Amino acid sequence: MTPRCSSRFYLYGVSAIAAIAGLLFGFDTGIISGALLFIQQDFPLSTLMQEMIVGSVLIGAMAGSLASGHLTDRFGRRKLLLIVSGLFVVGTLTAALATHVSLILIGRFIIGIAIGMGSYAAPLYIAELSPHNLRGALVSLNQLAITIGILCSYIINYVFTSTHNTWRIMFAIGLIPALLLSIGMLFLPESPRWLIKQNLTDKAMTILRRLRDTEQVKAEVTDIQNSIQIRQAKFSEIFSPWILPVLGLGAMLGFIQQATGINTIIYYAPTIFQLAGFENASSSILATIGIGVVNVLATVFAILYLDKLGRRPLLLTGLTGMCLSLLGLSLTFHLGADGNDLRWLAVACAFTYIICFAFSLGAILWLLVSEIFPLEVRATAMGVAVFNCWLWNFAVSASFLTLLNAMGPSQTFFFYSMMCVFGLVFCYYKVPETNGVTLEEIEINIRNRVALRHIGQTSEDPACPKQYSPLT
Ligand code: BGC
């Protein structure tokens, strides 16, 4: 059911407000590399302490994503996002006003919890509000917001690097989106799917009518009711045989998104550009801003085309491009990019890599993990998948510099390109096309144990089962 104009406007507005959580995700993960330089002027930091300040956000995010499954089922998607915005405010204030380095650690950890919860609750909330034909674009607004947040942090890092000792202001700028999220969430509706699960069907119908701009929401409500009519799943059920394959798919996608090396470039781009021979720090930071810009633009492309071209073609093309770009990067370092013209090739490869990531794994991971899990275990299972993504984010970003020292840049990027080959083969055989199919149809297929690759087939497809089979 495609919403008409005014409801479409409302739907985009609601999704955009929820996606501010993504903006904070991008901003707070990106700002630390610049802020760290100045924190050291106020508090002398050992290398371990620097790593702890950087890692505290990622560890907080792991904790947040694990906890959010339970919390979002209990309190609802909307309330959880309100809690997230509150945590962003508290964490940012603690870090920005810190009088001791331990308070920076605590503040960044709280921000991490908010990022972990938000990275999970925002796409889930948006997916549950969206009609199936706009779901790809709307959920990907969250990824767009992440990339805008990263770009803002790069720009702020650049602006402040050339001025004064202002790490507190750099952190505090994050308060603006955090407060916007808090205020915005007060006015947003709860997810109709969560309301129906709580037997608040009338309320859900009112919200759906507003979102779809039509009185004809009965069929959608019946679909949702059907998908939750069967007994409620317990936590342990996410490991039962009918869910396990799809849980494995979600966890594997999180692994692939991170193990193919995205954050080696997002977090360490200036270092890589310096290695390639851009000795002047400001030219490598400027090139990094370029990375931030193409990341945003390619995500806009994903938003425009995900619901037209489908998830799989973008995913497979993107992974191929990422692999080739990393091979190119590896080759330029192998041939000795060091201040000569090859450094431009290194920059070009980093740019094509980011573009290919942004229109594929960047947007599609968050979309697929919000789509593939059956409603009654969606929150918990999605929490596990998102946790895995943060776990590997931490592992890859914490090990990158060590790998670089041990193997050199050429072999390090070759290693990540091989992870892309693995990702490509896995996605080719396992990732379903979920374009144009409702979340309930996906669920029917999972319950009927349709092979993973085909859980996105629609009910119009004669091969697709129409009934829920009882759980075993
Ligand atoms: C990833 C982040 C990454 C960002 C880059 C997100 O989808 O989860 O780890 O930094 O994309 O745009």
Side-chain angles (χ1 to χ4, degrees):
M1 200 181 314
T2 312
R4 279 175 284 155
C5 216
S6 68
S7 65
R8 183 176 284 218
F9 187 71
Y10 179 62
L11 190 59
Y12 272 96
V14 169
S15 308
I17 291 174
I20 297 176
L23 189 125
L24 284 154
F25 165 165
F27 178 81
D28 280 309
T29 48
I31 198 71
I32 192 63
S33 55
L36 205 54
L37 299 174
F38 297 116
I39 297 175
Q40 296 187 73
Q41 295 172 357
D42 280 0
F43 306 110
L45 300 175
S46 64
T47 312
L48 179 68
M49 192 46 99
Q50 289 183 42
E51 284 171 355
M52 280 171 72
I53 292 182
V54 175
S56 54
V57 159
L58 300 178
I59 293 173
M62 281 184 233
S65 54
L66 264 194
S68 43
H70 173 69
L71 295 178
T72 198
D73 259 358
R74 177 137 187 219
F75 298 116
R77 285 55 167 143
R78 176 179 166 272
K79 271 206 196 113
L80 192 80
L81 280 168
L82 263 172
I83 297 173
V84 164
S85 65
L87 287 173
F88 270 121
V89 173
V90 173
T92 305
L93 283 174
T94 313
L97 302 175
T99 47
H100 188 268
V101 69
S102 58
L103 286 172
I104 301 184
L105 270 182
I106 294 174
R108 296 288 296 168
F109 180 73
I110 297 175
I111 291 175
I113 295 181
I115 293 179
M117 286 182 168
S119 66
Y120 145 95
L124 174 68
Y125 174 74
I126 301 172
E128 291 189 346
L129 291 177
S130 310
H132 63 83
N133 54 339
L134 293 179
R135 199 174 57 233
L138 288 170
V139 175
S140 302
L141 280 181
N142 186 56
Q143 174 68 13
L144 179 64
I146 296 176
T147 60
I148 293 176
I150 292 175
L151 176 60
C152 291
S153 73
Y154 285 171
I155 294 175
I156 289 169
N157 281 342
Y158 180 68
V159 169
F160 283 86
T161 308
S162 38
T163 52
H164 313 287
N165 177 0
T166 40
W167 59 272
R168 293 183 193 277
I169 302 181
M170 293 166 89
F171 280 158
I173 291 173
L175 273 181
I176 303 169
L179 289 172
L180 281 178
L181 180 64
S182 307
I183 298 167
M185 283 314 300
L186 289 174
F187 298 98
L188 299 197
E190 182 48 271
S191 148
R193 287 183 166 80
W194 183 80
L195 287 171
I196 292 173
K197 208 173 150 197
Q198 309 303 310
N199 286 325
L200 297 170
T201 310
D202 287 347
K203 223 169 161 183
M205 287 184 85
T206 313
I207 293 170
L208 273 175
R209 284 193 196 105
R210 176 84 183 87
L211 288 166
R212 307 286 183 263
D213 206 11
T214 166
E215 292 298 305
Q216 313 307 313
V217 293
K218 191 82 195 80
E220 192 169 350
V221 170
T222 311
D223 266 358
I224 299 171
Q225 280 170 332
N226 283 342
S227 74
I228 48 178
Q229 74 193 354
I230 313 170
R231 67 181 167 79
Q232 291 295 295
K234 296 185 216 72
F235 175 78
S236 57
E237 203 155 316
I238 61 166
F239 300 110
S240 62
W242 71 286
I243 307 266
L244 211 50
V246 89
L247 185 71
L249 173 64
M252 194 55 108
L253 284 168
F255 168 75
I256 294 170
Q257 196 206 43
Q258 295 299 324
T260 45
I262 179 60
N263 288 317
T264 63
I265 307 246
I266 294 289
Y267 299 166
Y268 296 101
T271 312
I272 296 171
F273 292 141
Q274 277 184 352
L275 273 176
F278 290 87
E279 272 149 25
N280 173 346
S282 73
S283 58
S284 37
I285 296 179
L286 262 186
T288 305
I289 293 184
I291 290 276
V293 173
V294 294
N295 195 14
V296 173
L297 295 180
T299 308
V300 172
F301 174 85
I303 291 185
L304 294 177
Y305 287 100
L306 263 172
D307 290 321
K308 296 196 178 87
L309 300 176
R311 284 63 161 150
R312 270 178 65 86
L314 288 182
L315 192 59
L316 300 178
T317 314
L319 269 161
T320 310
M322 286 166 66
C323 179
L324 295 175
S325 311
L326 287 171
L327 283 176
L329 203 53
S330 166
L331 191 67
T332 51
F333 280 111
H334 181 70
L335 295 175
D338 190 8
N340 49 26
D341 282 350
L342 276 175
R343 68 191 163 150
W344 293 108
L345 191 58
V347 172
C349 290
F351 273 58
T352 51
Y353 171 82
I354 291 290
I355 293 171
C356 293
F357 171 86
F359 73 72
S360 63
L361 272 176
I364 294 173
L365 164 85
W366 300 107
L367 176 59
L368 282 176
V369 296
S370 70
E371 292 180 328
I372 55 176
F373 299 117
L375 182 59
E376 68 196 83
V377 292
R378 186 172 298 152
T380 316
M382 192 176 157
V384 171
V386 174
F387 168 78
N388 201 43
C389 180
W390 284 108
L391 179 72
W392 287 102
N393 184 334
F394 179 69
V396 171
S397 39
S399 60
F400 175 61
L401 294 178
T402 313
L403 280 186
L404 216 51
N405 286 332
M407 312 201 290
S410 176
Q411 291 199 32
T412 306
F413 290 115
F414 183 77
F415 169 73
Y416 294 124
S417 75
M418 290 302 105
M419 298 310 288
C420 291
V421 173
F422 168 78
L424 190 59
V425 173
F426 178 86
C427 292
Y428 181 80
Y429 286 107
K430 294 292 179 196
V431 171
E433 180 54 78
T434 51
N435 191 22
V437 60
T438 66
L439 298 182
E440 288 68 37
E441 281 169 321
I442 295 175
E443 179 159 349
I444 295 179
N445 288 328
I446 294 172
R447 287 184 183 282
N448 287 298
R449 315 255 177 126
V450 167
L452 274 185
R453 168 79 179 76
H454 301 293
I455 57 174
Q457 58 198 358
T458 70
S459 51
E460 274 94 60
D461 184 332
C464 176
K466 303 285 186 296
Q467 300 275 311
Y468 291 106
S469 63
L471 289 180
T472 47

PDB file of all heavy atoms in Angstrom, residues 416-439:
ATOM      1  N   TYR A 416      42.055  -7.679   3.546  1.00  0.00           N
ATOM      2  CA  TYR A 416      40.653  -7.233   3.560  1.00  0.00           C
ATOM      3  C   TYR A 416      39.976  -7.533   2.213  1.00  0.00           C
ATOM      4  O   TYR A 416      38.778  -7.804   2.165  1.00  0.00           O
ATOM      5  CB  TYR A 416      40.556  -5.735   3.889  1.00  0.00           C
ATOM      6  CG  TYR A 416      40.998  -5.416   5.301  1.00  0.00           C
ATOM      7  CD1 TYR A 416      41.998  -4.493   5.549  1.00  0.00           C
ATOM      8  CD2 TYR A 416      40.408  -6.060   6.390  1.00  0.00           C
ATOM      9  CE1 TYR A 416      42.414  -4.208   6.842  1.00  0.00           C
ATOM     10  CE2 TYR A 416      40.822  -5.788   7.683  1.00  0.00           C
ATOM     11  CZ  TYR A 416      41.828  -4.869   7.906  1.00  0.00           C
ATOM     12  OH  TYR A 416      42.237  -4.598   9.181  1.00  0.00           O
ATOM     13  N   SER A 417      40.761  -7.493   1.126  1.00  0.00           N
ATOM     14  CA  SER A 417      40.129  -7.791  -0.176  1.00  0.00           C
ATOM     15  C   SER A 417      39.700  -9.262  -0.210  1.00  0.00           C
ATOM     16  O   SER A 417      38.667  -9.597  -0.807  1.00  0.00           O
ATOM     17  CB  SER A 417      41.069  -7.450  -1.336  1.00  0.00           C
ATOM     18  OG  SER A 417      42.086  -8.418  -1.439  1.00  0.00           O
ATOM     19  N   MET A 418      40.474 -10.124   0.462  1.00  0.00           N
ATOM     20  CA  MET A 418      40.065 -11.536   0.498  1.00  0.00           C
ATOM     21  C   MET A 418      38.790 -11.711   1.343  1.00  0.00           C
ATOM     22  O   MET A 418      37.964 -12.578   1.076  1.00  0.00           O
ATOM     23  CB  MET A 418      41.209 -12.415   1.066  1.00  0.00           C
ATOM     24  CG  MET A 418      42.388 -12.540   0.135  1.00  0.00           C
ATOM     25  SD  MET A 418      41.926 -13.240  -1.483  1.00  0.00           S
ATOM     26  CE  MET A 418      41.965 -11.829  -2.562  1.00  0.00           C
ATOM     27  N   MET A 419      38.644 -10.865   2.355  1.00  0.00           N
ATOM     28  CA  MET A 419      37.400 -10.913   3.133  1.00  0.00           C
ATOM     29  C   MET A 419      36.216 -10.516   2.243  1.00  0.00           C
ATOM     30  O   MET A 419      35.107 -11.024   2.394  1.00  0.00           O
ATOM     31  CB  MET A 419      37.463  -9.987   4.355  1.00  0.00           C
ATOM     32  CG  MET A 419      38.523 -10.324   5.377  1.00  0.00           C
ATOM     33  SD  MET A 419      38.548 -12.044   5.888  1.00  0.00           S
ATOM     34  CE  MET A 419      37.094 -12.135   6.863  1.00  0.00           C
ATOM     35  N   CYS A 420      36.472  -9.614   1.299  1.00  0.00           N
ATOM     36  CA  CYS A 420      35.403  -9.231   0.357  1.00  0.00           C
ATOM     37  C   CYS A 420      35.036 -10.419  -0.523  1.00  0.00           C
ATOM     38  O   CYS A 420      33.848 -10.624  -0.841  1.00  0.00           O
ATOM     39  CB  CYS A 420      35.844  -8.086  -0.554  1.00  0.00           C
ATOM     40  SG  CYS A 420      36.052  -6.537   0.289  1.00  0.00           S
ATOM     41  N   VAL A 421      36.046 -11.202  -0.932  1.00  0.00           N
ATOM     42  CA  VAL A 421      35.746 -12.374  -1.774  1.00  0.00           C
ATOM     43  C   VAL A 421      34.858 -13.324  -0.968  1.00  0.00           C
ATOM     44  O   VAL A 421      33.828 -13.815  -1.454  1.00  0.00           O
ATOM     45  CB  VAL A 421      37.056 -13.094  -2.201  1.00  0.00           C
ATOM     46  CG1 VAL A 421      36.734 -14.403  -2.935  1.00  0.00           C
ATOM     47  CG2 VAL A 421      37.892 -12.175  -3.071  1.00  0.00           C
ATOM     48  N   PHE A 422      35.232 -13.525   0.289  1.00  0.00           N
ATOM     49  CA  PHE A 422      34.407 -14.391   1.145  1.00  0.00           C
ATOM     50  C   PHE A 422      32.979 -13.834   1.233  1.00  0.00           C
ATOM     51  O   PHE A 422      31.992 -14.547   1.069  1.00  0.00           O
ATOM     52  CB  PHE A 422      35.037 -14.489   2.544  1.00  0.00           C
ATOM     53  CG  PHE A 422      34.116 -15.114   3.546  1.00  0.00           C
ATOM     54  CD1 PHE A 422      33.926 -16.492   3.576  1.00  0.00           C
ATOM     55  CD2 PHE A 422      33.391 -14.326   4.446  1.00  0.00           C
ATOM     56  CE1 PHE A 422      33.031 -17.061   4.474  1.00  0.00           C
ATOM     57  CE2 PHE A 422      32.499 -14.887   5.343  1.00  0.00           C
ATOM     58  CZ  PHE A 422      32.328 -16.266   5.359  1.00  0.00           C
ATOM     59  N   GLY A 423      32.885 -12.528   1.475  1.00  0.00           N
ATOM     60  CA  GLY A 423      31.572 -11.884   1.609  1.00  0.00           C
ATOM     61  C   GLY A 423      30.753 -12.042   0.341  1.00  0.00           C
ATOM     62  O   GLY A 423      29.548 -12.308   0.382  1.00  0.00           O
ATOM     63  N   LEU A 424      31.423 -11.909  -0.797  1.00  0.00           N
ATOM     64  CA  LEU A 424      30.724 -11.996  -2.082  1.00  0.00           C
ATOM     65  C   LEU A 424      30.139 -13.396  -2.279  1.00  0.00           C
ATOM     66  O   LEU A 424      28.964 -13.561  -2.646  1.00  0.00           O
ATOM     67  CB  LEU A 424      31.726 -11.671  -3.196  1.00  0.00           C
ATOM     68  CG  LEU A 424      31.194 -11.479  -4.589  1.00  0.00           C
ATOM     69  CD1 LEU A 424      30.184 -10.335  -4.623  1.00  0.00           C
ATOM     70  CD2 LEU A 424      32.346 -11.156  -5.553  1.00  0.00           C
ATOM     71  N   VAL A 425      30.960 -14.393  -1.995  1.00  0.00           N
ATOM     72  CA  VAL A 425      30.489 -15.780  -2.184  1.00  0.00           C
ATOM     73  C   VAL A 425      29.330 -16.045  -1.222  1.00  0.00           C
ATOM     74  O   VAL A 425      28.279 -16.576  -1.611  1.00  0.00           O
ATOM     75  CB  VAL A 425      31.655 -16.781  -1.933  1.00  0.00           C
ATOM     76  CG1 VAL A 425      31.140 -18.214  -1.956  1.00  0.00           C
ATOM     77  CG2 VAL A 425      32.748 -16.573  -2.970  1.00  0.00           C
ATOM     78  N   PHE A 426      29.485 -15.624   0.027  1.00  0.00           N
ATOM     79  CA  PHE A 426      28.432 -15.858   1.018  1.00  0.00           C
ATOM     80  C   PHE A 426      27.132 -15.175   0.575  1.00  0.00           C
ATOM     81  O   PHE A 426      26.063 -15.789   0.571  1.00  0.00           O
ATOM     82  CB  PHE A 426      28.868 -15.340   2.398  1.00  0.00           C
ATOM     83  CG  PHE A 426      27.799 -15.522   3.435  1.00  0.00           C
ATOM     84  CD1 PHE A 426      27.684 -16.726   4.126  1.00  0.00           C
ATOM     85  CD2 PHE A 426      26.876 -14.515   3.693  1.00  0.00           C
ATOM     86  CE1 PHE A 426      26.668 -16.899   5.052  1.00  0.00           C
ATOM     87  CE2 PHE A 426      25.858 -14.686   4.610  1.00  0.00           C
ATOM     88  CZ  PHE A 426      25.759 -15.887   5.300  1.00  0.00           C
ATOM     89  N   CYS A 427      27.238 -13.909   0.211  1.00  0.00           N
ATOM     90  CA  CYS A 427      26.019 -13.165  -0.141  1.00  0.00           C
ATOM     91  C   CYS A 427      25.381 -13.745  -1.399  1.00  0.00           C
ATOM     92  O   CYS A 427      24.155 -13.813  -1.508  1.00  0.00           O
ATOM     93  CB  CYS A 427      26.330 -11.680  -0.345  1.00  0.00           C
ATOM     94  SG  CYS A 427      26.785 -10.874   1.191  1.00  0.00           S
ATOM     95  N   TYR A 428      26.201 -14.169  -2.331  1.00  0.00           N
ATOM     96  CA  TYR A 428      25.649 -14.737  -3.574  1.00  0.00           C
ATOM     97  C   TYR A 428      24.777 -15.949  -3.261  1.00  0.00           C
ATOM     98  O   TYR A 428      23.681 -16.096  -3.791  1.00  0.00           O
ATOM     99  CB  TYR A 428      26.797 -15.126  -4.518  1.00  0.00           C
ATOM    100  CG  TYR A 428      26.284 -15.682  -5.820  1.00  0.00           C
ATOM    101  CD1 TYR A 428      25.844 -14.821  -6.820  1.00  0.00           C
ATOM    102  CD2 TYR A 428      26.202 -17.054  -6.036  1.00  0.00           C
ATOM    103  CE1 TYR A 428      25.335 -15.312  -8.006  1.00  0.00           C
ATOM    104  CE2 TYR A 428      25.690 -17.558  -7.213  1.00  0.00           C
ATOM    105  CZ  TYR A 428      25.260 -16.683  -8.198  1.00  0.00           C
ATOM    106  OH  TYR A 428      24.742 -17.170  -9.361  1.00  0.00           O
ATOM    107  N   TYR A 429      25.257 -16.803  -2.360  1.00  0.00           N
ATOM    108  CA  TYR A 429      24.511 -18.042  -2.085  1.00  0.00           C
ATOM    109  C   TYR A 429      23.434 -17.899  -1.010  1.00  0.00           C
ATOM    110  O   TYR A 429      22.485 -18.653  -0.982  1.00  0.00           O
ATOM    111  CB  TYR A 429      25.474 -19.169  -1.690  1.00  0.00           C
ATOM    112  CG  TYR A 429      26.223 -19.686  -2.902  1.00  0.00           C
ATOM    113  CD1 TYR A 429      27.564 -19.398  -3.082  1.00  0.00           C
ATOM    114  CD2 TYR A 429      25.564 -20.421  -3.888  1.00  0.00           C
ATOM    115  CE1 TYR A 429      28.253 -19.836  -4.215  1.00  0.00           C
ATOM    116  CE2 TYR A 429      26.234 -20.861  -5.024  1.00  0.00           C
ATOM    117  CZ  TYR A 429      27.567 -20.564  -5.185  1.00  0.00           C
ATOM    118  OH  TYR A 429      28.213 -20.985  -6.313  1.00  0.00           O
ATOM    119  N   LYS A 430      23.593 -16.937  -0.102  1.00  0.00           N
ATOM    120  CA  LYS A 430      22.707 -16.937   1.073  1.00  0.00           C
ATOM    121  C   LYS A 430      21.769 -15.747   1.201  1.00  0.00           C
ATOM    122  O   LYS A 430      20.728 -15.853   1.851  1.00  0.00           O
ATOM    123  CB  LYS A 430      23.561 -17.010   2.355  1.00  0.00           C
ATOM    124  CG  LYS A 430      24.329 -18.311   2.519  1.00  0.00           C
ATOM    125  CD  LYS A 430      23.389 -19.465   2.772  1.00  0.00           C
ATOM    126  CE  LYS A 430      24.146 -20.770   2.923  1.00  0.00           C
ATOM    127  NZ  LYS A 430      23.289 -21.945   2.788  1.00  0.00           N
ATOM    128  N   VAL A 431      22.146 -14.596   0.651  1.00  0.00           N
ATOM    129  CA  VAL A 431      21.327 -13.408   0.949  1.00  0.00           C
ATOM    130  C   VAL A 431      20.075 -13.365   0.066  1.00  0.00           C
ATOM    131  O   VAL A 431      20.168 -13.485  -1.154  1.00  0.00           O
ATOM    132  CB  VAL A 431      22.167 -12.122   0.777  1.00  0.00           C
ATOM    133  CG1 VAL A 431      21.293 -10.880   0.853  1.00  0.00           C
ATOM    134  CG2 VAL A 431      23.227 -12.058   1.876  1.00  0.00           C
ATOM    135  N   PRO A 432      18.901 -13.232   0.695  1.00  0.00           N
ATOM    136  CA  PRO A 432      17.661 -13.187  -0.082  1.00  0.00           C
ATOM    137  C   PRO A 432      17.422 -11.800  -0.683  1.00  0.00           C
ATOM    138  O   PRO A 432      17.976 -10.813  -0.195  1.00  0.00           O
ATOM    139  CB  PRO A 432      16.595 -13.476   0.974  1.00  0.00           C
ATOM    140  CG  PRO A 432      17.178 -12.960   2.247  1.00  0.00           C
ATOM    141  CD  PRO A 432      18.667 -13.142   2.151  1.00  0.00           C
ATOM    142  N   GLU A 433      16.598 -11.730  -1.705  1.00  0.00           N
ATOM    143  CA  GLU A 433      16.113 -10.433  -2.203  1.00  0.00           C
ATOM    144  C   GLU A 433      14.836 -10.138  -1.419  1.00  0.00           C
ATOM    145  O   GLU A 433      13.872 -10.902  -1.484  1.00  0.00           O
ATOM    146  CB  GLU A 433      15.812 -10.529  -3.701  1.00  0.00           C
ATOM    147  CG  GLU A 433      15.295  -9.231  -4.294  1.00  0.00           C
ATOM    148  CD  GLU A 433      16.252  -8.058  -4.006  1.00  0.00           C
ATOM    149  OE1 GLU A 433      17.287  -7.944  -4.682  1.00  0.00           O
ATOM    150  OE2 GLU A 433      15.945  -7.300  -3.076  1.00  0.00           O
ATOM    151  N   THR A 434      14.819  -9.047  -0.665  1.00  0.00           N
ATOM    152  CA  THR A 434      13.632  -8.758   0.158  1.00  0.00           C
ATOM    153  C   THR A 434      12.857  -7.564  -0.391  1.00  0.00           C
ATOM    154  O   THR A 434      11.953  -7.059   0.268  1.00  0.00           O
ATOM    155  CB  THR A 434      14.065  -8.444   1.613  1.00  0.00           C
ATOM    156  OG1 THR A 434      15.077  -7.442   1.557  1.00  0.00           O
ATOM    157  CG2 THR A 434      14.591  -9.660   2.323  1.00  0.00           C
ATOM    158  N   ASN A 435      13.222  -7.148  -1.586  1.00  0.00           N
ATOM    159  CA  ASN A 435      12.570  -5.982  -2.176  1.00  0.00           C
ATOM    160  C   ASN A 435      11.110  -6.306  -2.533  1.00  0.00           C
ATOM    161  O   ASN A 435      10.820  -7.351  -3.113  1.00  0.00           O
ATOM    162  CB  ASN A 435      13.342  -5.596  -3.449  1.00  0.00           C
ATOM    163  CG  ASN A 435      12.913  -4.260  -3.987  1.00  0.00           C
ATOM    164  OD1 ASN A 435      12.358  -3.446  -3.248  1.00  0.00           O
ATOM    165  ND2 ASN A 435      13.159  -4.031  -5.256  1.00  0.00           N
ATOM    166  N   GLY A 436      10.185  -5.415  -2.158  1.00  0.00           N
ATOM    167  CA  GLY A 436       8.796  -5.554  -2.593  1.00  0.00           C
ATOM    168  C   GLY A 436       8.020  -6.654  -1.902  1.00  0.00           C
ATOM    169  O   GLY A 436       6.930  -7.018  -2.327  1.00  0.00           O
ATOM    170  N   VAL A 437       8.533  -7.187  -0.814  1.00  0.00           N
ATOM    171  CA  VAL A 437       7.801  -8.230  -0.096  1.00  0.00           C
ATOM    172  C   VAL A 437       7.539  -7.721   1.321  1.00  0.00           C
ATOM    173  O   VAL A 437       8.339  -6.951   1.857  1.00  0.00           O
ATOM    174  CB  VAL A 437       8.622  -9.556  -0.138  1.00  0.00           C
ATOM    175  CG1 VAL A 437       9.964  -9.402   0.504  1.00  0.00           C
ATOM    176  CG2 VAL A 437       7.888 -10.696   0.517  1.00  0.00           C
ATOM    177  N   THR A 438       6.397  -8.086   1.907  1.00  0.00           N
ATOM    178  CA  THR A 438       6.116  -7.555   3.246  1.00  0.00           C
ATOM    179  C   THR A 438       6.906  -8.332   4.299  1.00  0.00           C
ATOM    180  O   THR A 438       7.329  -9.472   4.061  1.00  0.00           O
ATOM    181  CB  THR A 438       4.611  -7.655   3.602  1.00  0.00           C
ATOM    182  OG1 THR A 438       4.282  -9.034   3.699  1.00  0.00           O
ATOM    183  CG2 THR A 438       3.741  -6.984   2.554  1.00  0.00           C
ATOM    184  N   LEU A 439       7.054  -7.716   5.477  1.00  0.00           N
ATOM    185  CA  LEU A 439       7.778  -8.403   6.553  1.00  0.00           C
ATOM    186  C   LEU A 439       7.040  -9.685   6.932  1.00  0.00           C
ATOM    187  O   LEU A 439       7.635 -10.685   7.312  1.00  0.00           O
ATOM    188  CB  LEU A 439       7.915  -7.482   7.784  1.00  0.00           C
ATOM    189  CG  LEU A 439       8.702  -6.182   7.584  1.00  0.00           C
ATOM    190  CD1 LEU A 439       8.800  -5.400   8.886  1.00  0.00           C
ATOM    191  CD2 LEU A 439      10.088  -6.437   7.034  1.00  0.00           C
TER     192      LEU A 439
END
